[in-house]
Amino acid sequence: MYFEGKFKEYLDDLASNKPAPGGGSGAAAAGALGISLLSMVANFTIGKKKYQDVEAEIKEILSSTEKLRAKLEGLIDEDVAAYGEISAAYKMPKESDEEKKARTEAIQAALKTAMAVPLAICRNLSEAIKLCGPLLEKGNMNLVSDVGVGAELIAAGFASGLLNVEINLSGIKDSEMVEQIKTELYPKEKEMQIIKEKIVKETKGKI
Amino acid sequence: MYFEGKFKEYLDDLASNKPAPGGGSGAAAAGALGISLLSMVANFTIGKKKYQDVEAEIKEILSSTEKLRAKLEGLIDEDVAAYGEISAAYKMPKESDEEKKARTEAIQAALKTAMAVPLAICRNLSEAIKLCGPLLEKGNMNLVSDVGVGAELIAAGFASGLLNVEINLSGIKDSEMVEQIKTELYPKEKEMQIIKEKIVKETKGKI
């Protein structure tokens, strides 16, 4: 049985009115789930006689998916830590002008730290989605639906990460930074959608 | 730190070449993540003076999300068990005609059992997505992005569940059953997509 211990504790705390974990952490968890399925497809391809011609390439893909999986898994807890910083900044005293200034600066710094987590989620998932195509084309045909599920969860993790970037950006006053992040992420959002739809369509064609 | 113990073990096993967990279980986990966020939004609304007019309604929503969450959480492990049945059926002897017949019947029965898990995922997530609208309209405004993330993860869990229904249906010979399931799920798929897009658009409008 898997759904017990820390796994159960995580979802219970996510569902509760504890300050964290929240949506950013959930986005990382969904992304990690999706990437895990890509690793699974690679692991079920490697060592199979039928797929020996593509084994070297699949091993490279597995190395990439496992690196990305470790990053997303780390972000599940990093988001919780970053949220703590924001919370602490909002609780700073705001009586004198000096206190107000220090608090505003601390909030701005905490928002930037907090935004870095979903930004990393989006960046890593942008890389991960590109591994679905080669896996669907060359990986173990018995696991096509798992590539499709991987793509769905990676895309949802990205979209969820983006919502968390946007909610943090809405409080950040550094307009140059805001513009820069949007210029980076909106084309990635379009690309994600296009690749995801292509992978799901091709998956359904192979079922 | 959440990502350790059973939570880590689950993703490690999902990524490995163990026979299970696989995509169906991952779909249930993604759905459970999404529903947890809806419970979180409800929990952060209840007991707040600003939201006392809607408190009774939000409590009802929380009761529904918590019931649905428990169902999805259960399906994470049920999918693993169902996969074991299929595996066992395929390993049955197939020397004599009688053995072949018994094996075919066992495979058909196991496929139906296995399909029931992602079917339950889809049915429960179809209910869950309908709770996003009232939460976005009446829930704590500070958590709008979490409703959006909830909708993204619920929709991805549904789409992933559907892929797993379809891969099982492709092996099921009972054509009446296959038709019945498709007639039920394809309209639900459309409805899911429409509600999800509406919720995400409204969430972005409120950020």
Side-chain angles (χ1 to χ4, degrees), chain A residues 1-4 6 12-15 17-18 23 36 40 43-44 69 73 77 146 152 159 166 204, chain B residues 1-4 6 12-15 17 23 36 39-40 43-44 69 73 77 146 152 159 166 204:
Chain A
M1 194 165 139
Y2 289 102
F3 195 70
E4 55 187 16
K6 278 283 168 181
D12 282 347
D13 286 359
L14 192 63
N17 62 356
K18 292 194 180 179
S36 296
M40 177 176 86
N43 274 319
F44 271 103
R69 179 162 80 93
E73 288 171 349
D77 280 308
D146 297 294
E152 289 283 2
E166 289 174 318
K204 298 215 176 206
Chain B
M1 194 164 140
Y2 289 102
F3 194 71
E4 56 188 14
K6 278 285 170 179
D12 283 347
D13 285 358
L14 192 62
N17 61 357
S36 296
S39 288
M40 177 175 86
N43 274 319
F44 272 103
R69 180 163 79 92
E73 289 170 349
D77 281 307
D146 296 295
E152 288 283 2
E166 289 174 319
K204 298 217 175 205

Side-chain angles (χ1 to χ4, degrees), chain A residues 77-154:
Chain A
D77 280 308
E78 277 174 44
D79 193 69
V80 176
Y83 189 83
E85 261 193 60
I86 291 196
S87 233
Y90 274 102
K91 282 175 190 155
M92 283 170 71
K94 48 178 178 176
E95 293 303 312
S96 67
D97 282 355
E98 263 180 31
E99 281 177 351
K100 274 183 197 158
K101 191 167 171 278
R103 182 175 173 271
T104 302
E105 279 171 11
I107 290 171
Q108 285 298 306
L111 282 171
K112 286 179 188 178
T113 307
M115 198 232 8
V117 177
L119 180 59
I121 292 172
C122 291
R123 282 176 177 161
N124 285 303
L125 294 179
S126 281
E127 294 309 308
I129 195 74
K130 289 172 192 160
L131 302 168
C132 295
L135 276 175
L136 196 59
E137 195 193 331
K138 294 167 187 166
N140 189 327
M141 277 291 290
N142 294 332
L143 284 87
V144 284
S145 71
D146 297 294
V147 180
V149 172
E152 289 283 2
L153 302 187
I154 287 167

Side-chain angles (χ1 to χ4, degrees), chain A residues 28 31-33 35-37 39 43 63-76, chain B residues 3 8-16:
Chain A
L33 280 171
I35 296 174
S36 296
L37 289 167
S39 288
N43 274 319
S63 158
S64 302
T65 56
E66 287 295 270
K67 272 180 208 148
L68 290 164
R69 179 162 80 93
K71 283 185 188 168
L72 268 291
E73 288 171 349
L75 291 161
I76 294 171
Chain B
F3 194 71
K8 187 177 185 311
E9 189 186 325
Y10 177 71
L11 285 185
D12 283 347
D13 285 358
L14 192 62
S16 76

Side-chain angles (χ1 to χ4, degrees), chain B residues 32 37-38 44 49 82 90 93 101-102 106 110 121 126 129 150 161 167-168:
Chain B
L37 289 167
L38 303 190
F44 272 103
K49 208 177 170 189
Y90 273 104
K101 189 165 172 281
I121 293 173
S126 281
I129 195 74
I167 197 103
N168 283 306

